Amino acid sequence: MEPLEFSLQKPLSVGRAAGSDIVLNDSSVSREHALLEKSGKGILVRDLESRGGVYLNRVRLESGQEELLSNRDLLTIGPWSMLVRISEQVAAEPSLEETETPADSEAARDEHAARDDSMYATHASIFIRLRADRTLDREIGWNEFAEKYSRVIAGFARNAGLRTQDADDVLQDVLMGFFRVSADFNYDPEKGRFRGYLKRVTLNAIRSRHRRRRPEVNLDMDWEPPALDDSTDAIWDRQWTEQLLNRAMEQVRPKVEPRTWLAFELYGMRGVAIDAVADETGMTPEAIRHAKMRITKQIRTIVNEIRDQEG
């Protein structure tokens, strides 16, 4: 589906009502559900005291809360998960591509600001370990690489239309192909983001898989799978954002007490009523809200750090 593009010369209403600027026709969506508007800081999303809530990067906003959107944030309203793309004319033209029901588009180029070399030290270390001569160092690096990126590669392949078995084969092709070149691979952020590099490698593996299957499915010899376009680009960015959120949460969770994380998961991510969460955890509503705010901030910080490192 083509991305939905909007110019925020005025606030945009989101809801089930036919008069909404963005109509989401589902019973889980309130008639007046959310508002998108421009501010001096950027693009804001505001929950309009909706029944089902507005979720930003999987975390539910408080009723009536407003939050600043960042490029490639995941915005969920009812069954729609929308990847936000904010163009370089930042406050003017946000783009939403629906993912679970419709899909999202890329309107912004990667930002290449001045970088401190130390910013890339943690990420680059995985490639240093991959290139290490000692077997153990190489294995640790390889396991870390596979753990970080397997879900996004396989998810992208499935969403690009491949069967589960073919998607698994593409994943193996990408991982083994990267393993073969890893001894000579040198990651240089100045030459392009790793996110874009891995996307090209994965798309090439999908094309190769299609070519090998030509005889099985009676495809013409001159047939080629579709090139990367807004649709496939959006699929990749959604998969990347989802795995990025998973990684950020996995980093934060061990640093939080189990009871506090349970409160965050129930109240912040599942939308369970705060009184029920208080009964379940023995925490006060005020402590639950504070924990949600603190953990959400920690997740956002890690997400931003990974984006700085990997694109």
Side-chain angles (χ1 to χ4, degrees), residues 220 280 293:
D220 294 335
E280 174 81 12
M293 182 175 63

Side-chain angles (χ1 to χ4, degrees), residues 100-112:
E100 289 301 304
T101 317
D104 179 319
S105 109
E106 176 151 3
R109 296 178 301 175
D110 289 322
E111 300 175 7
H112 292 279

Side-chain angles (χ1 to χ4, degrees), residues 205-270:
I206 291 173
R207 288 171 174 158
S208 178
R209 176 66 45 182
H210 273 294
R211 293 189 193 104
R212 289 200 294 271
R213 292 192 63 236
R214 275 175 177 153
E216 303 173 31
V217 293
N218 296 318
L219 291 174
D220 294 335
M221 290 305 295
D222 59 352
W223 181 90
E224 289 289 342
L228 183 65
D229 55 20
D230 281 350
S231 176
T232 53
D233 214 21
I235 292 171
W236 176 266
D237 280 347
R238 175 169 63 87
Q239 293 296 147
W240 191 270
T241 296
E242 288 179 349
Q243 66 88 26
L244 188 156
L245 290 169
N246 287 336
R247 287 167 59 188
M249 289 181 183
E250 287 167 3
Q251 288 186 45
V252 172
R253 183 170 185 169
K255 303 174 184 177
V256 177
E257 291 183 0
R259 182 180 70 158
T260 303
W261 184 264
L262 177 61
F264 168 72
E265 193 173 60
L266 292 174
Y267 179 65
M269 298 180 65
R270 300 186 192 174

Side-chain angles (χ1 to χ4, degrees), residues 32 34 58 62 83 103 123 132 141 146 162 176 201 203 221 244 287 311:
E32 297 179 349
R58 299 184 181 166
E62 298 291 322
L83 193 67
H123 177 63
L162 272 68
M176 294 308 298
V201 170
L203 189 63
M221 290 305 295
L244 188 156

Side-chain angles (χ1 to χ4, degrees), residues 278-292:
D279 290 342
E280 174 81 12
T281 62
M283 297 172 64
T284 65
E286 181 181 2
I288 293 169
R289 290 192 178 95
H290 179 73
K292 174 194 165 188

